[in-house]
Amino acid sequence: MEFELFPVIMFAAIFPIVIGLFLRLPKLIIEIKENKQWTFDWVRFIAIALPSLYIITMSILPYSPLGQGSISIPEIILIGSPTVTTIAGIVFGYVLLDSFKK
């Protein structure tokens, strides 16, 4: 029997994103009830969410079939991998919902 590491890595990367979404969800529900015009804050998304998505992607990619052995991982991910990836996931999930504004 073989142990596959990729599903575990995917769960460890996606679960913090879901936690970040749940942290922002109550305020989003309150904003939905206000019935105003929706906008998207591109600056916040590009400045905060995309770098955290990069950190998450670089922690997943070496274990995926696409990037095995050919991708160099940034040193910050190698040194503090679980903590850095978890914080980046929570930040990405929160900022993703926070970018939708009324």
Side-chain angles (χ1 to χ4, degrees):
M1 182 178 279
E2 289 185 18
F3 177 72
E4 293 185 31
L5 190 61
F6 188 65
V8 175
I9 298 297
M10 284 298 294
F11 177 77
I14 293 174
F15 186 69
I17 295 173
V18 173
I19 296 298
L21 291 171
F22 281 146
L23 287 174
R24 179 65 168 96
L25 192 62
K27 191 172 179 185
L28 183 69
I29 292 172
I30 292 170
E31 290 175 354
I32 288 174
K33 292 180 180 179
E34 292 178 0
N35 294 330
K36 293 182 183 176
Q37 181 70 24
W38 285 94
T39 60
F40 189 77
D41 191 359
W42 288 101
V43 175
R44 179 175 290 163
F45 183 77
I46 291 173
I48 301 172
L50 285 184
S52 20
L53 182 63
Y54 172 76
I55 292 172
I56 296 166
T57 305
M58 292 316 284
S59 67
I60 295 173
L61 209 54
Y63 301 102
S64 73
L66 297 174
Q68 288 181 343
S70 64
I71 307 263
S72 62
I73 306 168
E75 190 173 332
I76 190 168
I77 297 172
L78 288 175
I79 292 172
S81 181
T83 306
V84 171
T85 305
T86 302
I87 291 171
I90 291 171
V91 167
F92 178 74
Y94 189 89
V95 171
L96 182 65
L97 284 186
D98 194 39
S99 295
F100 292 105
K101 294 285 181 184
K102 279 196 166 196

